[in-house]
């Protein structure tokens, strides 16, 4: 694998890992009542799934700059990105109304 291919794979692995970690942090910040109200897996279950996905994403990062191919790691990233995508696309939009940070602050409207 050439340097350019390795660099693209490493960049994609890093982006996937960041998406997984941000999904885990975002899921931890959402209230448990939103998970229960939506009839989904409880918050603890989602945190466990996203935590395992982030750990697999971390294992999928390249070990060294010039070490060469990391095909097993990219396979882990493909598997581990699925729960993060499901969270971002399916669950997070449904949890937004339950978040306390979405309340308007200050006066609303014009005159």
């Amino acid at each position: 694998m050439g340097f350019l291919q390795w660099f693209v794979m490493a960049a994609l692995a890093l982006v996937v890992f960041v998406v997984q970690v941000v999904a885990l942090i975002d899921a931890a910040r959402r209230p448990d009542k939103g998970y229960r109200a939506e009839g989904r897996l409880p918050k603890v279950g989602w945190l466990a799934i996203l935590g395992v996905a982030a750990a697999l994403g971390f294992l999928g990062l390249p070990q060294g700059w010039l070490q060469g191919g990391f095909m097993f790691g990219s396979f882990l990233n493909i598997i581990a990105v699925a729960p993060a995508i499901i969270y971002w696309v399916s669950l997070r939009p449904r949890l937004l109304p339950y978040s306390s940070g979405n309340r308007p602050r200050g006066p609303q409207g014009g005159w």
Side-chain angles (χ1 to χ4, degrees):
M1 177 182 304
F3 179 74
L4 182 60
Q5 290 91 352
W6 184 90
F7 183 76
V8 169
M9 290 291 290
L12 287 175
L14 185 62
V15 167
V16 166
F17 178 63
V18 168
V19 166
Q20 293 162 342
V21 169
V22 172
L24 176 63
I25 292 169
D26 188 73
R29 293 181 58 213
R30 302 292 167 197
D32 188 41
K33 68 179 180 179
Y35 292 89
R36 285 184 272 129
E38 289 300 322
R40 300 291 183 122
L41 193 63
K43 180 178 181 176
V44 175
W46 271 104
L47 290 178
I49 291 170
L50 292 171
V52 169
L56 290 175
F58 178 74
L59 292 175
L61 291 175
Q63 297 352 2
W65 283 102
L66 298 175
Q67 189 173 3
F70 50 98
M71 292 307 293
F72 182 69
S74 52
F75 180 71
L76 287 177
N77 275 336
I78 290 171
I79 292 172
V81 76
I85 291 173
I86 291 170
Y87 173 79
W88 283 111
V89 173
S90 176
L91 186 59
R92 185 177 183 270
R94 293 178 182 217
L95 293 176
L96 286 177
Y98 300 101
S99 297
S100 59
N102 288 340
R103 286 180 281 175
R105 292 183 170 91
Q108 298 295 315
W111 298 81

